[in-house]
Amino acid sequence: MKKCLIVVNSFKERALPLGEEIRSFLAERGVSSVLFTYNGADAGSEEVSVSFEGYDLVLTLGGDGTVLFACRGCAPLGIPVFAINLGEFGFLASIQVDEWQEQLERYLDGRSLVSERSLIEAEVLRGGKTVFLTSGMNDIVVSSSASSRLINLKVAYNHALLGPFKANGLIVSTATGSTAYAAAAGGPIMEPSLDTMLLTPISSFSLSARPLVFGSGGEIVITVLPSRVDVGLTADGQVSFGLCEGDVVIVGVLKSRARLVAATQETFYAALQSKLNWAGGPRA
């Protein structure tokens, strides 16, 4: 490894000093590195951008949101992401602060497991023409601009009509994103290595509306029907785009995959237990 980009979430007080420490650590091992300051508080701004080309590794200092930002840019380039957790949950940023040096040495020595995660892509068609294209590692959400207002959406999987939905919105998530917004909306938690799409209604007007799991070989097509409130699309809660009546949103699984260093099954299930207080029942 010759060159590393260190993404420092300036919203985290510990991030910059730790970034400088890691930079010195890498320099002693002949690895050049560049610090990029990323303001996690402004993650919804489309102005937050950086080129990931030319780097062998991207290291993130922040929470899961910082990892999502980095993975969307690194996945098409096949660049691994080494995510140190300075946030709250750590489902994606699974490397703890007290173990970064040990884990980074393991990676430099070629002894680290690198896991792959699916991303999904959303294409917005307006009048038959593409007007917006984005990707998400957690989810693509089509929802009302007002949390308490219902919108009308028509949904199909490939050419199979799933029916009209009257709800606050719909979440299309990856297996990785099943622990995020989809879980809060009542969706199932899925093993993150699964190559699937999860469709979860948000506060549906119908009691029969339930989350649906689809394979990666098809596309979920969402058509915006007339509603009394504005409708918008968000990717990973960080990229936003306003939708119009008649817009068609096509969501499918990307061929390129995110690569996470040291994100093992053990760290995922440990996060479920420690962060979500998830556990089985008492012993019989």
Side-chain angles (χ1 to χ4, degrees), residues 134-149:
T134 191
S135 63
M137 185 174 175
N138 261 358
D139 48 44
I140 301 293
V141 179
V142 176
S143 63
S144 164
S145 60
S147 60
S148 60
R149 300 291 297 274

Side-chain angles (χ1 to χ4, degrees), residues 5-66:
L5 177 68
I6 303 174
V7 179
V8 176
N9 188 334
S10 59
F11 191 68
K12 310 293 183 181
E13 292 183 2
R14 303 171 63 186
L16 186 56
L18 182 56
E20 294 291 355
E21 184 180 348
I22 294 171
R23 190 176 185 181
S24 298
F25 173 88
L26 290 171
E28 291 175 359
R29 286 152 181 79
V31 179
S32 67
S33 58
V34 175
L35 290 180
F36 169 72
T37 301
Y38 163 78
N39 189 341
D42 295 335
S45 171
E46 295 183 28
E47 298 177 0
V48 179
S49 62
V50 62
S51 175
F52 295 99
E53 291 188 16
Y55 294 100
D56 302 305
L57 176 70
V58 170
L59 191 149
T60 64
L61 299 175
D64 287 347
T66 312

Side-chain angles (χ1 to χ4, degrees), residues 39-116:
N39 189 341
D42 295 335
S45 171
E46 295 183 28
E47 298 177 0
V48 179
S49 62
V50 62
S51 175
F52 295 99
E53 291 188 16
Y55 294 100
D56 302 305
L57 176 70
V58 170
L59 191 149
T60 64
L61 299 175
D64 287 347
T66 312
V67 183
L68 293 172
F69 167 75
C71 283
R72 290 197 304 272
C74 290
L77 302 172
I79 302 172
V81 175
F82 187 100
I84 299 176
N85 183 34
L86 297 179
E88 186 175 350
F89 284 103
F91 282 108
L92 297 175
S94 58
I95 298 171
Q96 303 307 311
V97 174
D98 60 358
E99 62 177 3
W100 72 262
Q101 186 169 327
E102 175 190 354
Q103 291 290 350
L104 192 49
E105 285 179 340
R106 287 178 59 86
Y107 179 79
L108 294 175
D109 292 339
R111 295 182 290 120
S112 287
L113 174 69
V114 179
S115 65
E116 295 189 344

